[in-house]
Amino acid sequence: MDYKEKWKEGILGALFPPRCIFCDEILEDGEDGICSSCREKEQFMEEPCCKSCGRGILREEESLCKNCKRHHFSFSGGMILYHLTEEIEDAISELKYKGRQDKGEFFGRRAGEHFREKMEALGIQAILPVPIHKDRRRKRGYNQAEIIGKALAKACDLPLYADLLKREKKTKALKDLNPVERLQNLLSAMDCEAIPEELKKIVLVDDIFTTGATMEACTRKLLERDIKEVYILAIAARADR
């Protein structure tokens, strides 16, 4: 970091001191994103995990979670950072709807700390965020998955391709659709630009993994463009426990 960057960081730190992602108290020196009082609220997804999506399962011999037993997904595997607790859900909501990009940056860094070695072993070449529609991005000012993806890419020393996947159409409310309708709705909304020829293995990033329909739609579009392996990474999901 050069002098100008240090100076800028110092000014920003004085004007906007880093705060705990859970309680919003100003952090003490040496506290990275979470204050000591809230550390126990950070509940990581632990093994055994589903071999497909990465959410926690009750017994290792089961191999797949209930959702992945019902649906055949096209992605090669998944990584999920946290259990979707009330505290994590609130923090993600503030990232998405209250401008707290610092929370997305923290989640991306933390995901990098936890999954960098795995991603290196898999031969991951790039990070792609799940896209949002341009109207939603204009209203919000940013794509929360891109904020997470940038920090993850930096932590893992990988390139981020934020514009290869696009959400060209607004989708109907997914909660009102059955699984087949949900996927078709998303597939019709997604588009994918030409992929750099050298890219064969990528990680697709989003905030919360629920049914997997969005990740599946994005994965299929990428596979159509000759990506060989797509892995998914979500900040949180509900475990099958």
Side-chain angles (χ1 to χ4, degrees), residues 11 42-43 54 71-72 90 100 102 108 116 134-135 157 161 184 186 188 195 204 209 211 221 235:
I11 294 295
E42 194 178 24
Q43 296 185 25
H71 309 292
H72 174 71
D90 287 346
R100 292 297 302 273
D102 58 307
R116 176 170 181 151
K134 61 182 179 181
D135 289 350
D157 195 26
Y161 290 89
Q184 290 303 318
L186 285 162
S188 69
I195 300 289
L204 186 62
F209 183 87
T211 65
K221 293 296 182 180
I235 296 305

Short mmCIF file of all heavy atoms in Angstrom, two decimals, residues 11 42-43 54 71-72 90 100 102 108 116 134-135 157 161 184 186 188 195 204 209 211 221 235:
data_model
loop_
_atom_site.label_atom_id
_atom_site.label_comp_id
_atom_site.label_asym_id
_atom_site.label_seq_id
_atom_site.Cartn_x
_atom_site.Cartn_y
_atom_site.Cartn_z
N ILE A 11 -8.00 8.54 6.70
CA ILE A 11 -9.09 9.52 6.74
C ILE A 11 -10.44 8.82 6.82
O ILE A 11 -11.31 9.19 7.63
CB ILE A 11 -9.04 10.42 5.48
CG1 ILE A 11 -7.78 11.29 5.50
CG2 ILE A 11 -10.29 11.29 5.40
CD1 ILE A 11 -7.73 12.29 6.62
N GLU A 42 -20.91 -15.91 15.49
CA GLU A 42 -20.39 -16.31 14.18
C GLU A 42 -20.39 -17.84 14.12
O GLU A 42 -19.44 -18.49 14.54
CB GLU A 42 -18.99 -15.74 13.98
CG GLU A 42 -18.50 -15.82 12.56
CD GLU A 42 -17.12 -15.20 12.39
OE1 GLU A 42 -16.37 -15.11 13.38
OE2 GLU A 42 -16.79 -14.81 11.26
N GLN A 43 -21.45 -18.43 13.59
CA GLN A 43 -21.61 -19.88 13.58
C GLN A 43 -21.31 -20.43 12.19
O GLN A 43 -22.14 -20.32 11.27
CB GLN A 43 -23.02 -20.25 14.03
CG GLN A 43 -23.32 -19.84 15.46
CD GLN A 43 -24.67 -20.32 15.94
OE1 GLN A 43 -25.21 -21.30 15.44
NE2 GLN A 43 -25.24 -19.63 16.91
N GLY A 54 -23.19 -27.98 -0.10
CA GLY A 54 -22.34 -27.54 1.00
C GLY A 54 -23.06 -27.23 2.30
O GLY A 54 -22.42 -26.88 3.29
N HIS A 71 -33.57 -32.43 -6.17
CA HIS A 71 -33.23 -31.73 -7.41
C HIS A 71 -31.81 -32.09 -7.84
O HIS A 71 -30.89 -32.10 -7.03
CB HIS A 71 -33.32 -30.22 -7.20
CG HIS A 71 -34.61 -29.77 -6.61
ND1 HIS A 71 -35.82 -29.84 -7.26
CD2 HIS A 71 -34.89 -29.24 -5.38
CE1 HIS A 71 -36.77 -29.37 -6.48
NE2 HIS A 71 -36.24 -29.01 -5.34
N HIS A 72 -31.66 -32.35 -9.12
CA HIS A 72 -30.32 -32.61 -9.66
C HIS A 72 -29.72 -31.28 -10.11
O HIS A 72 -30.25 -30.64 -11.03
CB HIS A 72 -30.38 -33.58 -10.84
CG HIS A 72 -29.05 -33.75 -11.51
ND1 HIS A 72 -28.02 -34.44 -10.92
CD2 HIS A 72 -28.58 -33.30 -12.70
CE1 HIS A 72 -26.97 -34.41 -11.72
NE2 HIS A 72 -27.28 -33.73 -12.81
N ASP A 90 -29.85 -10.84 9.63
CA ASP A 90 -29.98 -9.39 9.83
C ASP A 90 -28.81 -8.64 9.18
O ASP A 90 -29.00 -7.59 8.56
CB ASP A 90 -30.05 -9.06 11.32
CG ASP A 90 -31.38 -9.44 11.95
OD1 ASP A 90 -32.34 -9.72 11.20
OD2 ASP A 90 -31.46 -9.48 13.20
N ARG A 100 -24.98 -1.13 3.86
CA ARG A 100 -23.83 -1.55 4.68
C ARG A 100 -22.90 -2.46 3.88
O ARG A 100 -22.79 -3.66 4.12
CB ARG A 100 -24.31 -2.22 5.95
CG ARG A 100 -25.00 -1.27 6.92
CD ARG A 100 -24.07 -0.17 7.43
NE ARG A 100 -22.90 -0.72 8.09
CZ ARG A 100 -22.88 -1.04 9.38
NH1 ARG A 100 -23.94 -0.86 10.14
NH2 ARG A 100 -21.77 -1.53 9.92
N ASP A 102 -19.81 -2.56 4.03
CA ASP A 102 -18.74 -3.07 4.88
C ASP A 102 -19.02 -4.49 5.35
O ASP A 102 -18.10 -5.29 5.53
CB ASP A 102 -18.52 -2.14 6.08
CG ASP A 102 -19.78 -1.99 6.93
OD1 ASP A 102 -20.84 -1.64 6.38
OD2 ASP A 102 -19.70 -2.18 8.16
N GLY A 108 -16.93 -11.46 2.50
CA GLY A 108 -16.03 -11.92 1.44
C GLY A 108 -14.66 -12.29 1.97
O GLY A 108 -14.07 -13.31 1.58
N ARG A 116 -10.00 -20.56 0.86
CA ARG A 116 -8.91 -20.33 -0.09
C ARG A 116 -8.18 -21.63 -0.43
O ARG A 116 -7.95 -21.93 -1.61
CB ARG A 116 -7.91 -19.30 0.45
CG ARG A 116 -6.72 -19.13 -0.48
CD ARG A 116 -5.84 -17.96 -0.11
NE ARG A 116 -4.73 -17.85 -1.06
CZ ARG A 116 -4.15 -16.71 -1.37
NH1 ARG A 116 -4.53 -15.58 -0.82
NH2 ARG A 116 -3.15 -16.70 -2.23
N LYS A 134 -30.70 -4.61 -13.61
CA LYS A 134 -30.14 -3.25 -13.63
C LYS A 134 -31.00 -2.25 -12.87
O LYS A 134 -30.47 -1.31 -12.25
CB LYS A 134 -29.94 -2.79 -15.07
CG LYS A 134 -31.21 -2.71 -15.90
CD LYS A 134 -30.92 -2.29 -17.33
CE LYS A 134 -32.19 -2.24 -18.17
NZ LYS A 134 -31.91 -1.85 -19.57
N ASP A 135 -32.33 -2.44 -12.87
CA ASP A 135 -33.20 -1.53 -12.12
C ASP A 135 -32.97 -1.66 -10.63
O ASP A 135 -32.95 -0.66 -9.90
CB ASP A 135 -34.67 -1.80 -12.45
CG ASP A 135 -35.05 -1.38 -13.85
OD1 ASP A 135 -34.22 -0.70 -14.51
OD2 ASP A 135 -36.16 -1.73 -14.31
N ASP A 157 -6.63 -13.95 -4.17
CA ASP A 157 -5.74 -13.55 -5.27
C ASP A 157 -6.23 -14.10 -6.60
O ASP A 157 -5.49 -14.70 -7.37
CB ASP A 157 -4.30 -14.01 -4.98
CG ASP A 157 -3.28 -13.32 -5.89
OD1 ASP A 157 -3.57 -12.20 -6.34
OD2 ASP A 157 -2.21 -13.90 -6.15
N TYR A 161 -14.91 -11.40 -12.31
CA TYR A 161 -15.59 -11.03 -13.55
C TYR A 161 -17.04 -10.68 -13.19
O TYR A 161 -17.87 -11.57 -13.04
CB TYR A 161 -15.54 -12.17 -14.56
CG TYR A 161 -14.17 -12.43 -15.13
CD1 TYR A 161 -13.29 -13.31 -14.51
CD2 TYR A 161 -13.75 -11.79 -16.30
CE1 TYR A 161 -12.02 -13.55 -15.04
CE2 TYR A 161 -12.49 -12.02 -16.83
CZ TYR A 161 -11.63 -12.90 -16.19
OH TYR A 161 -10.38 -13.14 -16.71
N GLN A 184 -37.38 -22.16 -14.77
CA GLN A 184 -37.63 -21.64 -16.12
C GLN A 184 -37.70 -20.12 -16.12
O GLN A 184 -37.21 -19.45 -17.05
CB GLN A 184 -38.93 -22.23 -16.67
CG GLN A 184 -38.84 -23.70 -17.00
CD GLN A 184 -37.73 -24.03 -17.99
OE1 GLN A 184 -37.53 -23.31 -18.97
NE2 GLN A 184 -37.00 -25.11 -17.72
N LEU A 186 -36.12 -18.10 -14.10
CA LEU A 186 -34.77 -17.59 -13.94
C LEU A 186 -33.92 -17.80 -15.19
O LEU A 186 -33.14 -16.93 -15.59
CB LEU A 186 -34.10 -18.25 -12.73
CG LEU A 186 -34.60 -17.74 -11.37
CD1 LEU A 186 -34.25 -18.71 -10.27
CD2 LEU A 186 -34.02 -16.36 -11.06
N SER A 188 -34.92 -17.82 -18.23
CA SER A 188 -35.31 -16.84 -19.24
C SER A 188 -34.79 -15.44 -18.92
O SER A 188 -34.69 -14.59 -19.81
CB SER A 188 -36.84 -16.80 -19.36
OG SER A 188 -37.43 -16.26 -18.19
N ILE A 195 -17.22 -15.92 -22.70
CA ILE A 195 -16.30 -16.21 -21.61
C ILE A 195 -14.87 -16.24 -22.14
O ILE A 195 -14.61 -16.82 -23.20
CB ILE A 195 -16.63 -17.58 -20.98
CG1 ILE A 195 -18.06 -17.58 -20.42
CG2 ILE A 195 -15.63 -17.94 -19.89
CD1 ILE A 195 -18.29 -16.76 -19.20
N LEU A 204 -19.09 -19.33 -8.30
CA LEU A 204 -20.25 -18.44 -8.41
C LEU A 204 -20.66 -18.04 -6.99
O LEU A 204 -20.89 -18.90 -6.15
CB LEU A 204 -21.37 -19.18 -9.11
CG LEU A 204 -22.65 -18.46 -9.49
CD1 LEU A 204 -22.37 -17.33 -10.48
CD2 LEU A 204 -23.64 -19.46 -10.09
N PHE A 209 -28.11 -19.12 0.20
CA PHE A 209 -28.51 -20.28 -0.62
C PHE A 209 -29.79 -20.84 -0.03
O PHE A 209 -29.83 -21.23 1.14
CB PHE A 209 -27.41 -21.34 -0.62
CG PHE A 209 -27.71 -22.52 -1.50
CD1 PHE A 209 -27.36 -22.50 -2.84
CD2 PHE A 209 -28.34 -23.64 -1.00
CE1 PHE A 209 -27.65 -23.59 -3.67
CE2 PHE A 209 -28.62 -24.74 -1.81
CZ PHE A 209 -28.27 -24.70 -3.15
N THR A 211 -33.27 -22.50 -2.25
CA THR A 211 -33.66 -23.66 -3.06
C THR A 211 -32.59 -24.04 -4.09
O THR A 211 -32.57 -25.16 -4.59
CB THR A 211 -34.96 -23.38 -3.83
OG1 THR A 211 -34.73 -22.33 -4.79
CG2 THR A 211 -36.07 -22.97 -2.87
N LYS A 221 -26.18 -21.44 -17.66
CA LYS A 221 -25.75 -20.45 -18.65
C LYS A 221 -24.23 -20.49 -18.83
O LYS A 221 -23.72 -20.36 -19.95
CB LYS A 221 -26.19 -19.05 -18.22
CG LYS A 221 -27.69 -18.83 -18.23
CD LYS A 221 -28.26 -18.94 -19.65
CE LYS A 221 -29.75 -18.68 -19.68
NZ LYS A 221 -30.33 -18.77 -21.04
N ILE A 235 -22.80 -17.22 1.44
CA ILE A 235 -22.42 -16.81 2.79
C ILE A 235 -23.19 -17.59 3.85
O ILE A 235 -22.65 -17.93 4.88
CB ILE A 235 -22.64 -15.28 2.97
CG1 ILE A 235 -21.71 -14.52 2.02
CG2 ILE A 235 -22.37 -14.86 4.42
CD1 ILE A 235 -20.23 -14.87 2.15
#
